Amino acid sequence: MRIAEEGSRPTDRRAAPGRGTTVRATRQGDAVCAALTETDAFTSAQDLHALLRAQGTAVGLTTVYRHLQVLVDRGEVDMIRRDDGETVYRRCATEAHHHHLVCRECGRTVEIAGPEIEQWTATVAAAEGFVDVAHTVEIYGTCATCAAAAESTT
Amino acid sequence: MRIAEEGSRPTDRRAAPGRGTTVRATRQGDAVCAALTETDAFTSAQDLHALLRAQGTAVGLTTVYRHLQVLVDRGEVDMIRRDDGETVYRRCATEAHHHHLVCRECGRTVEIAGPEIEQWTATVAAAEGFVDVAHTVEIYGTCATCAAAAESTT
DNA sequence: CTGCATGCAAAATGTTTGCACTCTA
DNA sequence: TAGAGTGCAAACATTTTGCATGCAG
């Protein structure tokens, strides 16, 4: 069993809290942040890159990845791995622990808090003697809008 | 937003129910099944391949992937995507819907049923107007054994 | 001016596919 | 013997890294 080695590298740099990506304000950094703020859906680095490019803001794919990574490390952005393997990112309203209800059509996402779930996972894990517990809970479905659209098409 | 295209290809072939991988019994197919049955942990195709090879059973990596895919399609094997991107497989006791409590050290897994979770996700999704709902719930932690081992090492 | 940030090209992963060959039924 | 199964090599897709250059502070 392989465990991803967590880099304890000196990424201790912290920029002006509130805005910004890394220590410096750059056109690219702002662009990534902006693009991420504008969309409500979980977006992949590739899509984000294409989006920026189409929008006229030229940013290297590498740079997009790097900024996303920093934002995730900083907890400003949520990251989940889609079933097809792509990693998707989203700027969530709360930095507190929460889960997502994602529309599999349009990607629109609703943040949900579930005290009962936290409780349940903790209980279950404890019952089996597990410690240092974490969990992933994501709900996928079709939102009302997309369902209606599909309906009218059919 | 890209949705993985579900192959509705003519994989309608069904072998003797109970054992087997595909329609024919082969050394490789049996080996993959056996290896999967022997371990209690979620295992990646790569690890499974290495395992078989080390064990003396030469099987191509491609073949391992193909058998795993078939087994998953058939519902005989559970598949989840690890955080680091690798897809891991496991033969579960029940083919019914359930979740997993996975030890992040040794990979040992406990299958858990959570009626309250099913209930909760359905309720939450419905409240937001989502239909055709599915969910993923996995709990990760360190099992008692591994925790004890870590303890004595420290 | 200093050195963080950028981005191209190339490497690394993990997984899938084309195709000729093998072996089961 | 027919064709499912196998496996090598190559294609793929996504993400990461090396390195020379550019720009913010």
Side-chain angles (χ1 to χ4, degrees):
Chain A
M1 184 113 305
R2 194 182 323 163
I3 300 297
E5 299 179 36
E6 184 40 44
S8 53
R9 82 175 69 168
T11 307
D12 204 43
R13 45 166 88 137
R14 65 195 64 177
R19 156 223 145 274
T21 305
T22 21
V23 301
R24 279 183 190 177
T26 61
R27 175 177 61 76
Q28 293 89 334
D30 290 345
V32 173
C33 277
L36 220 35
T37 301
E38 278 168 41
T39 179
D40 187 36
F42 267 100
T43 317
S44 71
Q46 308 267 359
D47 284 351
L48 215 44
H49 177 246
L51 199 71
L52 288 168
R53 182 152 289 206
Q55 172 192 307
T57 316
V59 178
L61 179 55
T62 307
T63 304
V64 174
Y65 273 110
R66 281 197 274 238
H67 279 285
L68 287 173
Q69 193 165 283
V70 171
L71 288 168
V72 169
D73 286 351
R74 200 178 289 169
E76 289 181 32
V77 164
D78 273 25
M79 169 198 110
I80 62 183
R81 214 174 268 266
R82 225 193 291 163
D83 260 22
D84 73 337
E86 255 188 288
T87 306
V88 288
Y89 308 81
R90 178 175 187 272
R91 159 159 278 144
C92 287
T94 172
E95 287 196 18
H97 176 75
H98 63 275
H99 300 290
H100 306 102
L101 171 54
V102 188
C103 173
R104 64 167 74 81
E105 293 300 327
C106 66
R108 193 130 40 86
T109 299
V110 179
E111 293 165 45
I112 50 184
E116 48 271 77
I117 295 312
E118 312 305 320
Q119 169 74 55
W120 178 77
T121 56
T123 304
V124 170
E128 296 291 342
F130 279 58
V131 297
D132 195 18
V133 180
H135 61 266
T136 66
V137 174
E138 311 296 348
I139 309 179
Y140 298 94
T142 306
C143 73
T145 308
C146 288
E151 189 73 23
S152 61
T153 306
T154 312
Chain B
M1 182 114 305
R2 195 181 323 163
I3 300 297
E5 299 180 36
E6 182 42 42
S8 54
R9 85 174 68 169
T11 307
D12 203 44
R13 46 165 88 137
R14 64 197 63 176
R19 146 216 157 280
T21 305
T22 21
V23 301
R24 280 183 189 178
T26 61
R27 176 176 63 75
Q28 294 89 333
D30 290 344
V32 172
C33 275
L36 219 36
T37 301
E38 279 168 41
T39 178
D40 187 37
F42 267 100
T43 317
S44 71
Q46 310 264 0
D47 285 351
L48 215 44
H49 177 246
L51 200 70
L52 288 167
R53 182 152 287 205
Q55 173 192 307
T57 315
V59 177
L61 178 57
T62 307
T63 302
V64 173
Y65 273 111
R66 281 197 274 239
H67 278 285
L68 286 173
Q69 193 165 284
V70 172
L71 288 168
V72 169
D73 286 351
R74 199 177 290 170
E76 290 181 31
V77 164
D78 273 24
M79 171 196 108
I80 61 183
R81 216 173 264 270
R82 224 192 290 163
D83 261 22
D84 73 338
E86 257 186 288
T87 306
V88 288
Y89 309 80
R90 179 175 188 273
R91 160 159 277 146
C92 287
T94 172
E95 286 196 19
H97 176 75
H98 63 275
H99 300 290
H100 306 102
L101 170 55
V102 187
C103 173
R104 64 166 73 82
E105 294 300 327
C106 66
R108 192 129 40 87
T109 299
V110 179
E111 293 166 46
I112 49 184
E116 48 270 79
I117 295 312
E118 312 305 322
Q119 168 74 56
W120 178 77
T121 57
T123 303
V124 170
E128 296 291 342
F130 279 59
V131 296
D132 194 19
V133 180
H135 61 267
T136 66
V137 174
E138 310 296 346
I139 310 179
Y140 298 94
T142 306
C143 72
T145 308
C146 288
E151 188 73 22
S152 61
T153 307
T154 312

